[in-house]
Amino acid sequence: MMVDLYNKRNERKIRVKYPTGGTSNVLRLVEGVKLRSFTGPNGRGITVKESDGKIRSLSLSKCVTA
């Protein structure tokens, strides 16, 4: 599924759970529109524009299907 997010077309809606603060064991729901995919020094990720207008970069290794 997480590879699907990387290959998913831009401007598509996504819905995943992601750790609060990026490292916690508590997950929060992230809903929004995928802006782009990227490969960085820590692996693959996606950039998401959330429903409230915030732009977040999420690591695919930490994403959990919602």
Side-chain angles (χ1 to χ4, degrees):
M1 164 68 180
M2 295 311 114
V3 175
D4 291 340
L5 283 177
Y6 187 82
N7 293 328
K8 195 167 196 168
R9 295 177 73 176
N10 295 342
E11 304 300 324
R12 302 288 180 168
K13 292 182 181 180
I14 65 158
R15 180 182 163 119
V16 295
K17 291 186 178 180
Y18 198 76
T20 57
T23 57
S24 162
N25 196 22
V26 178
L27 301 176
R28 72 179 185 93
L29 188 63
V30 176
E31 292 181 292
V33 176
K34 178 188 169 208
L35 297 179
R36 69 184 187 103
S37 299
F38 63 89
T39 302
N42 295 323
R44 290 182 164 188
I46 58 173
T47 303
V48 177
K49 184 174 184 181
E50 293 186 271
S51 306
D52 58 0
K54 295 179 182 175
I55 297 178
R56 300 277 186 234
S57 294
L58 306 177
S59 174
L60 290 182
S61 63
K62 298 179 187 178
C63 289
V64 178
T65 57

